[in-house]
Amino acid sequence: MMSQMKMLAVALTLSLSAPTLVAADDQALRAKAQTARLQPIPEVIEDPVDNPVTPEKVALGKLLFFDPRLSASGLISCNTCHNLGMGGDDNLPTSVGHGWQRGPRNAPTVLNAIFNVAQFWDGRAADLKAQAKGPIQAAVEMANEPAQVVATLQSMPEYVEHFAAAFPEATEPVTFDNTAKAIEAFETTLVTPNAPFDRFMRGEDDALSAEQKEGLALFIDRGCTACHSGVNLGGQGYFPFGLLERPGADILPPTDKGRFEVTRSATDEYVFRAAPLRNIALTAPYFHSGAIWDLKQAVAVMGTAQLGSEIGEGEATKIAAFLEALTGEVPTITYPILPAETETTPRPQP
């Protein structure tokens, strides 16, 4: 019979080797994720091109982001469709805009949008300042005009002071361009660090559950990272929706040809920017059509449409569990007290 001393030694060896093996597995998974170009949110956020971020510019941008008077009706702000209390979107299939019109596409989250290569589902805006101008002028969204926006802002002395502080070198600080730059500066602060995935990638083995680790491995092995990589796990390139099998018209409306509307190239028909996956658990419904509300179902659809293979219930559950580990720390935003109107402030238009 084995002596008590030898049994104790064997037990001690097993107790020490098990964590070592687990740590080795975690390190291998981490390296696998790095090879697949999956990245944690960086600790330092670079300023946007041609728009140095300052505290004054961020403070102004925050006011503008929440101010519905940028819209013709005086009812719709940036936060209406990109609600910072609901994951940075509006949790609707497609957004409701001016005169209760329905927009054609699902509103993407504004959280972590600074990391996208371009903005909108079709990438028609090169950066966040270009994106900020679009909804303000779109008839189906805020339905306003640049001159009217400037007149509104110039009518309020507090705004004039904020613009002067944010753009001290400008001879005319209150402009439509500067309005967009200030909104962009504020949006650079809307990042969500320290998701369980970020902590895992930085060496915290226990940040992900066993199921989430399996989901991460499946996410890579199944080929999801071909489109969903980088800091935002997406938002970096354009791909045909229905690469291998086109979804039904409810998910892929035939009238929305995606990036084709920007480039007019036949090869861009039904091509869309890969959706960023950070905080995806907070931003249902999914896809540009907003047709799918269940995250596991969205995973299954992508398996058939993009990978050409069925992702079963068990694998979809694990991948969805990993995707939930992409939910980071959403910044706490205090609703601002907006500048008061004056007698010269343009009145809302129906």
Side-chain angles (χ1 to χ4, degrees), residues 76-83 86 88-109 121 135 140-142 285 287-290:
I76 302 171
S77 70
C78 302
N79 191 65
T80 302
C81 297
H82 301 285
N83 193 311
M86 299 197 304
D89 70 343
D90 56 12
N91 291 16
L92 296 172
T94 61
S95 298
V96 177
H98 186 78
W100 300 104
Q101 297 177 88
R102 278 278 182 185
R105 293 176 183 159
N106 180 260
T109 178
W121 283 97
V140 74
E141 297 184 65
M142 298 168 79
F287 307 133
H288 68 284
S289 55

PDB file of all heavy atoms in Angstrom, residues 76-83 86 88-109 121 135 140-142 285 287-290:
ATOM      1  N   ILE A  76     -36.090  66.407 -30.852  1.00  0.00           N
ATOM      2  CA  ILE A  76     -35.179  65.288 -31.079  1.00  0.00           C
ATOM      3  C   ILE A  76     -33.734  65.730 -30.880  1.00  0.00           C
ATOM      4  O   ILE A  76     -33.273  66.674 -31.518  1.00  0.00           O
ATOM      5  CB  ILE A  76     -35.352  64.728 -32.505  1.00  0.00           C
ATOM      6  CG1 ILE A  76     -36.799  64.288 -32.730  1.00  0.00           C
ATOM      7  CG2 ILE A  76     -34.406  63.551 -32.743  1.00  0.00           C
ATOM      8  CD1 ILE A  76     -37.110  63.939 -34.172  1.00  0.00           C
ATOM      9  N   SER A  77     -33.030  65.048 -30.006  1.00  0.00           N
ATOM     10  CA  SER A  77     -31.611  65.304 -29.786  1.00  0.00           C
ATOM     11  C   SER A  77     -30.796  64.111 -30.263  1.00  0.00           C
ATOM     12  O   SER A  77     -31.351  63.069 -30.631  1.00  0.00           O
ATOM     13  CB  SER A  77     -31.332  65.547 -28.295  1.00  0.00           C
ATOM     14  OG  SER A  77     -31.488  64.337 -27.561  1.00  0.00           O
ATOM     15  N   CYS A  78     -29.491  64.226 -30.235  1.00  0.00           N
ATOM     16  CA  CYS A  78     -28.635  63.067 -30.529  1.00  0.00           C
ATOM     17  C   CYS A  78     -28.968  61.913 -29.588  1.00  0.00           C
ATOM     18  O   CYS A  78     -28.973  60.743 -29.986  1.00  0.00           O
ATOM     19  CB  CYS A  78     -27.159  63.440 -30.379  1.00  0.00           C
ATOM     20  SG  CYS A  78     -26.588  64.796 -31.428  1.00  0.00           S
ATOM     21  N   ASN A  79     -29.249  62.257 -28.326  1.00  0.00           N
ATOM     22  CA  ASN A  79     -29.516  61.230 -27.321  1.00  0.00           C
ATOM     23  C   ASN A  79     -30.833  60.511 -27.558  1.00  0.00           C
ATOM     24  O   ASN A  79     -31.051  59.423 -27.014  1.00  0.00           O
ATOM     25  CB  ASN A  79     -29.521  61.864 -25.924  1.00  0.00           C
ATOM     26  CG  ASN A  79     -29.529  60.830 -24.816  1.00  0.00           C
ATOM     27  OD1 ASN A  79     -28.581  60.072 -24.662  1.00  0.00           O
ATOM     28  ND2 ASN A  79     -30.609  60.795 -24.045  1.00  0.00           N
ATOM     29  N   THR A  80     -31.719  61.081 -28.373  1.00  0.00           N
ATOM     30  CA  THR A  80     -32.991  60.424 -28.646  1.00  0.00           C
ATOM     31  C   THR A  80     -32.774  59.067 -29.297  1.00  0.00           C
ATOM     32  O   THR A  80     -33.389  58.061 -28.906  1.00  0.00           O
ATOM     33  CB  THR A  80     -33.865  61.310 -29.558  1.00  0.00           C
ATOM     34  OG1 THR A  80     -34.082  62.577 -28.929  1.00  0.00           O
ATOM     35  CG2 THR A  80     -35.204  60.651 -29.836  1.00  0.00           C
ATOM     36  N   CYS A  81     -31.915  59.028 -30.308  1.00  0.00           N
ATOM     37  CA  CYS A  81     -31.648  57.770 -31.014  1.00  0.00           C
ATOM     38  C   CYS A  81     -30.422  57.045 -30.474  1.00  0.00           C
ATOM     39  O   CYS A  81     -30.223  55.865 -30.785  1.00  0.00           O
ATOM     40  CB  CYS A  81     -31.466  58.028 -32.507  1.00  0.00           C
ATOM     41  SG  CYS A  81     -32.936  58.701 -33.314  1.00  0.00           S
ATOM     42  N   HIS A  82     -29.592  57.757 -29.713  1.00  0.00           N
ATOM     43  CA  HIS A  82     -28.369  57.163 -29.151  1.00  0.00           C
ATOM     44  C   HIS A  82     -28.394  57.359 -27.636  1.00  0.00           C
ATOM     45  O   HIS A  82     -27.538  58.039 -27.065  1.00  0.00           O
ATOM     46  CB  HIS A  82     -27.134  57.795 -29.781  1.00  0.00           C
ATOM     47  CG  HIS A  82     -27.095  57.635 -31.277  1.00  0.00           C
ATOM     48  ND1 HIS A  82     -26.788  56.434 -31.876  1.00  0.00           N
ATOM     49  CD2 HIS A  82     -27.356  58.508 -32.272  1.00  0.00           C
ATOM     50  CE1 HIS A  82     -26.847  56.587 -33.193  1.00  0.00           C
ATOM     51  NE2 HIS A  82     -27.192  57.824 -33.460  1.00  0.00           N
ATOM     52  N   ASN A  83     -29.400  56.765 -27.022  1.00  0.00           N
ATOM     53  CA  ASN A  83     -29.682  56.987 -25.607  1.00  0.00           C
ATOM     54  C   ASN A  83     -28.567  56.388 -24.749  1.00  0.00           C
ATOM     55  O   ASN A  83     -28.353  55.167 -24.743  1.00  0.00           O
ATOM     56  CB  ASN A  83     -31.031  56.355 -25.263  1.00  0.00           C
ATOM     57  CG  ASN A  83     -31.551  56.798 -23.918  1.00  0.00           C
ATOM     58  OD1 ASN A  83     -30.834  56.775 -22.920  1.00  0.00           O
ATOM     59  ND2 ASN A  83     -32.800  57.213 -23.887  1.00  0.00           N
ATOM     60  N   MET A  86     -29.322  53.517 -22.418  1.00  0.00           N
ATOM     61  CA  MET A  86     -29.787  52.242 -22.969  1.00  0.00           C
ATOM     62  C   MET A  86     -28.774  51.664 -23.956  1.00  0.00           C
ATOM     63  O   MET A  86     -29.130  51.169 -25.023  1.00  0.00           O
ATOM     64  CB  MET A  86     -31.141  52.423 -23.663  1.00  0.00           C
ATOM     65  CG  MET A  86     -32.250  52.892 -22.751  1.00  0.00           C
ATOM     66  SD  MET A  86     -33.921  52.642 -23.453  1.00  0.00           S
ATOM     67  CE  MET A  86     -33.809  53.509 -25.009  1.00  0.00           C
ATOM     68  N   GLY A  88     -26.485  53.266 -25.686  1.00  0.00           N
ATOM     69  CA  GLY A  88     -26.058  54.166 -26.747  1.00  0.00           C
ATOM     70  C   GLY A  88     -26.870  54.060 -28.021  1.00  0.00           C
ATOM     71  O   GLY A  88     -26.489  54.617 -29.049  1.00  0.00           O
ATOM     72  N   ASP A  89     -28.006  53.348 -27.967  1.00  0.00           N
ATOM     73  CA  ASP A  89     -28.929  53.305 -29.100  1.00  0.00           C
ATOM     74  C   ASP A  89     -30.341  53.496 -28.556  1.00  0.00           C
ATOM     75  O   ASP A  89     -30.513  53.893 -27.407  1.00  0.00           O
ATOM     76  CB  ASP A  89     -28.782  51.996 -29.879  1.00  0.00           C
ATOM     77  CG  ASP A  89     -29.292  50.791 -29.094  1.00  0.00           C
ATOM     78  OD1 ASP A  89     -29.457  50.902 -27.862  1.00  0.00           O
ATOM     79  OD2 ASP A  89     -29.512  49.736 -29.712  1.00  0.00           O
ATOM     80  N   ASP A  90     -31.361  53.259 -29.392  1.00  0.00           N
ATOM     81  CA  ASP A  90     -32.732  53.510 -28.926  1.00  0.00           C
ATOM     82  C   ASP A  90     -33.545  52.241 -28.712  1.00  0.00           C
ATOM     83  O   ASP A  90     -34.730  52.307 -28.388  1.00  0.00           O
ATOM     84  CB  ASP A  90     -33.469  54.446 -29.891  1.00  0.00           C
ATOM     85  CG  ASP A  90     -33.483  53.930 -31.332  1.00  0.00           C
ATOM     86  OD1 ASP A  90     -33.134  52.748 -31.537  1.00  0.00           O
ATOM     87  OD2 ASP A  90     -33.822  54.709 -32.238  1.00  0.00           O
ATOM     88  N   ASN A  91     -32.927  51.059 -28.917  1.00  0.00           N
ATOM     89  CA  ASN A  91     -33.612  49.781 -28.691  1.00  0.00           C
ATOM     90  C   ASN A  91     -34.907  49.666 -29.495  1.00  0.00           C
ATOM     91  O   ASN A  91     -35.897  49.083 -29.031  1.00  0.00           O
ATOM     92  CB  ASN A  91     -33.896  49.567 -27.197  1.00  0.00           C
ATOM     93  CG  ASN A  91     -32.617  49.337 -26.402  1.00  0.00           C
ATOM     94  OD1 ASN A  91     -31.520  49.618 -26.878  1.00  0.00           O
ATOM     95  ND2 ASN A  91     -32.753  48.855 -25.190  1.00  0.00           N
ATOM     96  N   LEU A  92     -34.885  50.217 -30.721  1.00  0.00           N
ATOM     97  CA  LEU A  92     -35.998  50.087 -31.655  1.00  0.00           C
ATOM     98  C   LEU A  92     -35.481  49.429 -32.932  1.00  0.00           C
ATOM     99  O   LEU A  92     -34.308  49.568 -33.265  1.00  0.00           O
ATOM    100  CB  LEU A  92     -36.588  51.460 -32.003  1.00  0.00           C
ATOM    101  CG  LEU A  92     -37.243  52.250 -30.880  1.00  0.00           C
ATOM    102  CD1 LEU A  92     -37.587  53.652 -31.367  1.00  0.00           C
ATOM    103  CD2 LEU A  92     -38.500  51.539 -30.382  1.00  0.00           C
ATOM    104  N   PRO A  93     -36.341  48.733 -33.673  1.00  0.00           N
ATOM    105  CA  PRO A  93     -35.878  48.178 -34.940  1.00  0.00           C
ATOM    106  C   PRO A  93     -35.295  49.253 -35.857  1.00  0.00           C
ATOM    107  O   PRO A  93     -34.193  49.106 -36.388  1.00  0.00           O
ATOM    108  CB  PRO A  93     -37.144  47.543 -35.529  1.00  0.00           C
ATOM    109  CG  PRO A  93     -37.964  47.190 -34.332  1.00  0.00           C
ATOM    110  CD  PRO A  93     -37.723  48.308 -33.350  1.00  0.00           C
ATOM    111  N   THR A  94     -36.048  50.321 -36.073  1.00  0.00           N
ATOM    112  CA  THR A  94     -35.539  51.504 -36.776  1.00  0.00           C
ATOM    113  C   THR A  94     -36.038  52.734 -36.039  1.00  0.00           C
ATOM    114  O   THR A  94     -37.109  52.719 -35.431  1.00  0.00           O
ATOM    115  CB  THR A  94     -36.004  51.544 -38.245  1.00  0.00           C
ATOM    116  OG1 THR A  94     -37.431  51.608 -38.300  1.00  0.00           O
ATOM    117  CG2 THR A  94     -35.512  50.322 -39.007  1.00  0.00           C
ATOM    118  N   SER A  95     -35.269  53.806 -36.088  1.00  0.00           N
ATOM    119  CA  SER A  95     -35.544  54.972 -35.253  1.00  0.00           C
ATOM    120  C   SER A  95     -36.743  55.783 -35.738  1.00  0.00           C
ATOM    121  O   SER A  95     -37.080  55.784 -36.933  1.00  0.00           O
ATOM    122  CB  SER A  95     -34.308  55.873 -35.213  1.00  0.00           C
ATOM    123  OG  SER A  95     -33.222  55.204 -34.637  1.00  0.00           O
ATOM    124  N   VAL A  96     -37.363  56.492 -34.797  1.00  0.00           N
ATOM    125  CA  VAL A  96     -38.469  57.395 -35.098  1.00  0.00           C
ATOM    126  C   VAL A  96     -37.922  58.813 -35.140  1.00  0.00           C
ATOM    127  O   VAL A  96     -37.278  59.270 -34.201  1.00  0.00           O
ATOM    128  CB  VAL A  96     -39.588  57.275 -34.045  1.00  0.00           C
ATOM    129  CG1 VAL A  96     -40.700  58.275 -34.331  1.00  0.00           C
ATOM    130  CG2 VAL A  96     -40.132  55.857 -34.007  1.00  0.00           C
ATOM    131  N   GLY A  97     -38.175  59.512 -36.248  1.00  0.00           N
ATOM    132  CA  GLY A  97     -37.634  60.852 -36.407  1.00  0.00           C
ATOM    133  C   GLY A  97     -38.700  61.907 -36.587  1.00  0.00           C
ATOM    134  O   GLY A  97     -39.822  61.778 -36.076  1.00  0.00           O
ATOM    135  N   HIS A  98     -38.347  62.956 -37.314  1.00  0.00           N
ATOM    136  CA  HIS A  98     -39.211  64.123 -37.499  1.00  0.00           C
ATOM    137  C   HIS A  98     -40.584  63.709 -38.038  1.00  0.00           C
ATOM    138  O   HIS A  98     -40.695  62.945 -38.990  1.00  0.00           O
ATOM    139  CB  HIS A  98     -38.548  65.095 -38.480  1.00  0.00           C
ATOM    140  CG  HIS A  98     -39.281  66.391 -38.623  1.00  0.00           C
ATOM    141  ND1 HIS A  98     -39.207  67.395 -37.682  1.00  0.00           N
ATOM    142  CD2 HIS A  98     -40.109  66.851 -39.591  1.00  0.00           C
ATOM    143  CE1 HIS A  98     -39.933  68.425 -38.067  1.00  0.00           C
ATOM    144  NE2 HIS A  98     -40.500  68.113 -39.221  1.00  0.00           N
ATOM    145  N   GLY A  99     -41.635  64.238 -37.394  1.00  0.00           N
ATOM    146  CA  GLY A  99     -42.998  63.934 -37.823  1.00  0.00           C
ATOM    147  C   GLY A  99     -43.366  62.474 -37.689  1.00  0.00           C
ATOM    148  O   GLY A  99     -44.218  61.977 -38.419  1.00  0.00           O
ATOM    149  N   TRP A 100     -42.740  61.784 -36.739  1.00  0.00           N
ATOM    150  CA  TRP A 100     -42.991  60.370 -36.470  1.00  0.00           C
ATOM    151  C   TRP A 100     -42.639  59.475 -37.663  1.00  0.00           C
ATOM    152  O   TRP A 100     -43.157  58.369 -37.799  1.00  0.00           O
ATOM    153  CB  TRP A 100     -44.457  60.132 -36.046  1.00  0.00           C
ATOM    154  CG  TRP A 100     -44.812  60.880 -34.815  1.00  0.00           C
ATOM    155  CD1 TRP A 100     -45.546  62.015 -34.719  1.00  0.00           C
ATOM    156  CD2 TRP A 100     -44.405  60.577 -33.466  1.00  0.00           C
ATOM    157  NE1 TRP A 100     -45.633  62.443 -33.412  1.00  0.00           N
ATOM    158  CE2 TRP A 100     -44.933  61.581 -32.625  1.00  0.00           C
ATOM    159  CE3 TRP A 100     -43.639  59.554 -32.907  1.00  0.00           C
ATOM    160  CZ2 TRP A 100     -44.735  61.586 -31.260  1.00  0.00           C
ATOM    161  CZ3 TRP A 100     -43.434  59.568 -31.526  1.00  0.00           C
ATOM    162  CH2 TRP A 100     -43.978  60.578 -30.725  1.00  0.00           C
ATOM    163  N   GLN A 101     -41.725  59.951 -38.496  1.00  0.00           N
ATOM    164  CA  GLN A 101     -41.271  59.115 -39.605  1.00  0.00           C
ATOM    165  C   GLN A 101     -40.353  58.010 -39.088  1.00  0.00           C
ATOM    166  O   GLN A 101     -39.572  58.221 -38.162  1.00  0.00           O
ATOM    167  CB  GLN A 101     -40.504  59.951 -40.622  1.00  0.00           C
ATOM    168  CG  GLN A 101     -41.305  61.042 -41.290  1.00  0.00           C
ATOM    169  CD  GLN A 101     -40.425  61.856 -42.224  1.00  0.00           C
ATOM    170  OE1 GLN A 101     -40.250  61.524 -43.391  1.00  0.00           O
ATOM    171  NE2 GLN A 101     -39.873  62.935 -41.694  1.00  0.00           N
ATOM    172  N   ARG A 102     -40.425  56.864 -39.728  1.00  0.00           N
ATOM    173  CA  ARG A 102     -39.540  55.748 -39.403  1.00  0.00           C
ATOM    174  C   ARG A 102     -38.305  55.795 -40.296  1.00  0.00           C
ATOM    175  O   ARG A 102     -38.427  55.896 -41.517  1.00  0.00           O
ATOM    176  CB  ARG A 102     -40.255  54.414 -39.623  1.00  0.00           C
ATOM    177  CG  ARG A 102     -41.142  53.997 -38.469  1.00  0.00           C
ATOM    178  CD  ARG A 102     -40.325  53.326 -37.381  1.00  0.00           C
ATOM    179  NE  ARG A 102     -41.163  52.875 -36.278  1.00  0.00           N
ATOM    180  CZ  ARG A 102     -40.686  52.343 -35.165  1.00  0.00           C
ATOM    181  NH1 ARG A 102     -39.379  52.214 -35.004  1.00  0.00           N
ATOM    182  NH2 ARG A 102     -41.494  51.958 -34.211  1.00  0.00           N
ATOM    183  N   GLY A 103     -37.137  55.752 -39.670  1.00  0.00           N
ATOM    184  CA  GLY A 103     -35.920  55.693 -40.446  1.00  0.00           C
ATOM    185  C   GLY A 103     -35.762  54.337 -41.100  1.00  0.00           C
ATOM    186  O   GLY A 103     -36.431  53.363 -40.726  1.00  0.00           O
ATOM    187  N   PRO A 104     -34.866  54.218 -42.075  1.00  0.00           N
ATOM    188  CA  PRO A 104     -34.722  52.959 -42.809  1.00  0.00           C
ATOM    189  C   PRO A 104     -33.859  51.917 -42.115  1.00  0.00           C
ATOM    190  O   PRO A 104     -33.909  50.738 -42.483  1.00  0.00           O
ATOM    191  CB  PRO A 104     -34.082  53.395 -44.122  1.00  0.00           C
ATOM    192  CG  PRO A 104     -33.282  54.613 -43.739  1.00  0.00           C
ATOM    193  CD  PRO A 104     -34.070  55.300 -42.676  1.00  0.00           C
ATOM    194  N   ARG A 105     -33.037  52.347 -41.124  1.00  0.00           N
ATOM    195  CA  ARG A 105     -32.082  51.401 -40.526  1.00  0.00           C
ATOM    196  C   ARG A 105     -32.056  51.518 -39.008  1.00  0.00           C
ATOM    197  O   ARG A 105     -32.401  52.549 -38.436  1.00  0.00           O
ATOM    198  CB  ARG A 105     -30.668  51.651 -41.079  1.00  0.00           C
ATOM    199  CG  ARG A 105     -30.518  51.322 -42.545  1.00  0.00           C
ATOM    200  CD  ARG A 105     -29.144  51.688 -43.051  1.00  0.00           C
ATOM    201  NE  ARG A 105     -29.005  51.439 -44.484  1.00  0.00           N
ATOM    202  CZ  ARG A 105     -28.102  52.007 -45.248  1.00  0.00           C
ATOM    203  NH1 ARG A 105     -27.218  52.854 -44.728  1.00  0.00           N
ATOM    204  NH2 ARG A 105     -28.045  51.732 -46.538  1.00  0.00           N
ATOM    205  N   ASN A 106     -31.585  50.453 -38.395  1.00  0.00           N
ATOM    206  CA  ASN A 106     -31.382  50.403 -36.954  1.00  0.00           C
ATOM    207  C   ASN A 106     -30.286  51.377 -36.537  1.00  0.00           C
ATOM    208  O   ASN A 106     -29.261  51.487 -37.209  1.00  0.00           O
ATOM    209  CB  ASN A 106     -31.006  48.974 -36.560  1.00  0.00           C
ATOM    210  CG  ASN A 106     -30.767  48.808 -35.078  1.00  0.00           C
ATOM    211  OD1 ASN A 106     -29.627  48.781 -34.635  1.00  0.00           O
ATOM    212  ND2 ASN A 106     -31.830  48.677 -34.313  1.00  0.00           N
ATOM    213  N   ALA A 107     -30.494  52.099 -35.448  1.00  0.00           N
ATOM    214  CA  ALA A 107     -29.502  53.072 -34.961  1.00  0.00           C
ATOM    215  C   ALA A 107     -28.333  52.348 -34.310  1.00  0.00           C
ATOM    216  O   ALA A 107     -28.524  51.614 -33.338  1.00  0.00           O
ATOM    217  CB  ALA A 107     -30.146  54.015 -33.948  1.00  0.00           C
ATOM    218  N   PRO A 108     -27.107  52.519 -34.814  1.00  0.00           N
ATOM    219  CA  PRO A 108     -25.946  51.903 -34.170  1.00  0.00           C
ATOM    220  C   PRO A 108     -25.651  52.582 -32.835  1.00  0.00           C
ATOM    221  O   PRO A 108     -25.995  53.754 -32.628  1.00  0.00           O
ATOM    222  CB  PRO A 108     -24.798  52.141 -35.161  1.00  0.00           C
ATOM    223  CG  PRO A 108     -25.450  52.617 -36.426  1.00  0.00           C
ATOM    224  CD  PRO A 108     -26.730  53.262 -36.014  1.00  0.00           C
ATOM    225  N   THR A 109     -25.006  51.879 -31.939  1.00  0.00           N
ATOM    226  CA  THR A 109     -24.620  52.492 -30.668  1.00  0.00           C
ATOM    227  C   THR A 109     -23.542  53.543 -30.880  1.00  0.00           C
ATOM    228  O   THR A 109     -22.668  53.404 -31.752  1.00  0.00           O
ATOM    229  CB  THR A 109     -24.118  51.434 -29.670  1.00  0.00           C
ATOM    230  OG1 THR A 109     -23.714  52.102 -28.463  1.00  0.00           O
ATOM    231  CG2 THR A 109     -22.937  50.650 -30.217  1.00  0.00           C
ATOM    232  N   TRP A 121     -24.038  52.446 -41.122  1.00  0.00           N
ATOM    233  CA  TRP A 121     -23.975  51.077 -41.613  1.00  0.00           C
ATOM    234  C   TRP A 121     -23.286  50.994 -42.976  1.00  0.00           C
ATOM    235  O   TRP A 121     -22.674  49.979 -43.316  1.00  0.00           O
ATOM    236  CB  TRP A 121     -25.388  50.492 -41.728  1.00  0.00           C
ATOM    237  CG  TRP A 121     -25.993  50.071 -40.431  1.00  0.00           C
ATOM    238  CD1 TRP A 121     -26.861  50.790 -39.648  1.00  0.00           C
ATOM    239  CD2 TRP A 121     -25.788  48.842 -39.740  1.00  0.00           C
ATOM    240  NE1 TRP A 121     -27.195  50.083 -38.523  1.00  0.00           N
ATOM    241  CE2 TRP A 121     -26.565  48.878 -38.556  1.00  0.00           C
ATOM    242  CE3 TRP A 121     -25.034  47.696 -40.008  1.00  0.00           C
ATOM    243  CZ2 TRP A 121     -26.602  47.825 -37.649  1.00  0.00           C
ATOM    244  CZ3 TRP A 121     -25.070  46.647 -39.106  1.00  0.00           C
ATOM    245  CH2 TRP A 121     -25.852  46.713 -37.941  1.00  0.00           C
ATOM    246  N   PRO A 135     -27.559  63.342 -39.269  1.00  0.00           N
ATOM    247  CA  PRO A 135     -28.909  63.287 -38.702  1.00  0.00           C
ATOM    248  C   PRO A 135     -29.544  64.663 -38.500  1.00  0.00           C
ATOM    249  O   PRO A 135     -30.763  64.794 -38.601  1.00  0.00           O
ATOM    250  CB  PRO A 135     -28.682  62.589 -37.353  1.00  0.00           C
ATOM    251  CG  PRO A 135     -27.438  61.783 -37.559  1.00  0.00           C
ATOM    252  CD  PRO A 135     -26.581  62.610 -38.455  1.00  0.00           C
ATOM    253  N   VAL A 140     -35.744  62.761 -42.451  1.00  0.00           N
ATOM    254  CA  VAL A 140     -36.415  61.718 -41.693  1.00  0.00           C
ATOM    255  C   VAL A 140     -35.949  61.667 -40.243  1.00  0.00           C
ATOM    256  O   VAL A 140     -36.522  60.945 -39.423  1.00  0.00           O
ATOM    257  CB  VAL A 140     -36.185  60.339 -42.360  1.00  0.00           C
ATOM    258  CG1 VAL A 140     -34.769  59.851 -42.135  1.00  0.00           C
ATOM    259  CG2 VAL A 140     -37.208  59.321 -41.880  1.00  0.00           C
ATOM    260  N   GLU A 141     -34.942  62.479 -39.903  1.00  0.00           N
ATOM    261  CA  GLU A 141     -34.413  62.456 -38.532  1.00  0.00           C
ATOM    262  C   GLU A 141     -34.681  63.783 -37.811  1.00  0.00           C
ATOM    263  O   GLU A 141     -35.743  63.973 -37.250  1.00  0.00           O
ATOM    264  CB  GLU A 141     -32.928  62.095 -38.555  1.00  0.00           C
ATOM    265  CG  GLU A 141     -32.683  60.689 -39.108  1.00  0.00           C
ATOM    266  CD  GLU A 141     -31.233  60.260 -39.052  1.00  0.00           C
ATOM    267  OE1 GLU A 141     -30.712  60.124 -37.931  1.00  0.00           O
ATOM    268  OE2 GLU A 141     -30.632  60.071 -40.119  1.00  0.00           O
ATOM    269  N   MET A 142     -33.732  64.730 -37.865  1.00  0.00           N
ATOM    270  CA  MET A 142     -33.915  65.989 -37.135  1.00  0.00           C
ATOM    271  C   MET A 142     -34.402  67.125 -38.024  1.00  0.00           C
ATOM    272  O   MET A 142     -34.857  68.155 -37.531  1.00  0.00           O
ATOM    273  CB  MET A 142     -32.612  66.350 -36.426  1.00  0.00           C
ATOM    274  CG  MET A 142     -32.209  65.302 -35.388  1.00  0.00           C
ATOM    275  SD  MET A 142     -30.526  65.469 -34.738  1.00  0.00           S
ATOM    276  CE  MET A 142     -30.732  66.786 -33.549  1.00  0.00           C
ATOM    277  N   PRO A 285     -32.653  45.529 -30.893  1.00  0.00           N
ATOM    278  CA  PRO A 285     -32.554  44.422 -31.851  1.00  0.00           C
ATOM    279  C   PRO A 285     -31.345  44.563 -32.764  1.00  0.00           C
ATOM    280  O   PRO A 285     -30.711  45.621 -32.810  1.00  0.00           O
ATOM    281  CB  PRO A 285     -33.864  44.537 -32.624  1.00  0.00           C
ATOM    282  CG  PRO A 285     -34.177  45.993 -32.605  1.00  0.00           C
ATOM    283  CD  PRO A 285     -33.725  46.471 -31.254  1.00  0.00           C
ATOM    284  N   PHE A 287     -28.820  43.728 -36.401  1.00  0.00           N
ATOM    285  CA  PHE A 287     -28.668  43.910 -37.844  1.00  0.00           C
ATOM    286  C   PHE A 287     -29.198  45.285 -38.274  1.00  0.00           C
ATOM    287  O   PHE A 287     -29.911  45.946 -37.525  1.00  0.00           O
ATOM    288  CB  PHE A 287     -29.335  42.791 -38.652  1.00  0.00           C
ATOM    289  CG  PHE A 287     -28.901  41.415 -38.234  1.00  0.00           C
ATOM    290  CD1 PHE A 287     -29.828  40.414 -38.020  1.00  0.00           C
ATOM    291  CD2 PHE A 287     -27.565  41.125 -38.044  1.00  0.00           C
ATOM    292  CE1 PHE A 287     -29.437  39.138 -37.646  1.00  0.00           C
ATOM    293  CE2 PHE A 287     -27.157  39.848 -37.664  1.00  0.00           C
ATOM    294  CZ  PHE A 287     -28.099  38.856 -37.465  1.00  0.00           C
ATOM    295  N   HIS A 288     -28.843  45.689 -39.471  1.00  0.00           N
ATOM    296  CA  HIS A 288     -29.239  47.024 -39.939  1.00  0.00           C
ATOM    297  C   HIS A 288     -30.759  47.149 -40.047  1.00  0.00           C
ATOM    298  O   HIS A 288     -31.296  48.254 -39.985  1.00  0.00           O
ATOM    299  CB  HIS A 288     -28.589  47.327 -41.295  1.00  0.00           C
ATOM    300  CG  HIS A 288     -29.094  46.482 -42.417  1.00  0.00           C
ATOM    301  ND1 HIS A 288     -28.719  45.168 -42.582  1.00  0.00           N
ATOM    302  CD2 HIS A 288     -29.947  46.754 -43.435  1.00  0.00           C
ATOM    303  CE1 HIS A 288     -29.323  44.674 -43.651  1.00  0.00           C
ATOM    304  NE2 HIS A 288     -30.071  45.612 -44.190  1.00  0.00           N
ATOM    305  N   SER A 289     -31.434  46.023 -40.179  1.00  0.00           N
ATOM    306  CA  SER A 289     -32.891  46.031 -40.258  1.00  0.00           C
ATOM    307  C   SER A 289     -33.555  45.978 -38.894  1.00  0.00           C
ATOM    308  O   SER A 289     -34.775  46.181 -38.788  1.00  0.00           O
ATOM    309  CB  SER A 289     -33.368  44.837 -41.098  1.00  0.00           C
ATOM    310  OG  SER A 289     -32.852  43.623 -40.571  1.00  0.00           O
ATOM    311  N   GLY A 290     -32.782  45.692 -37.849  1.00  0.00           N
ATOM    312  CA  GLY A 290     -33.360  45.578 -36.509  1.00  0.00           C
ATOM    313  C   GLY A 290     -34.383  44.466 -36.411  1.00  0.00           C
ATOM    314  O   GLY A 290     -35.345  44.553 -35.633  1.00  0.00           O
TER     315      GLY A 290
END
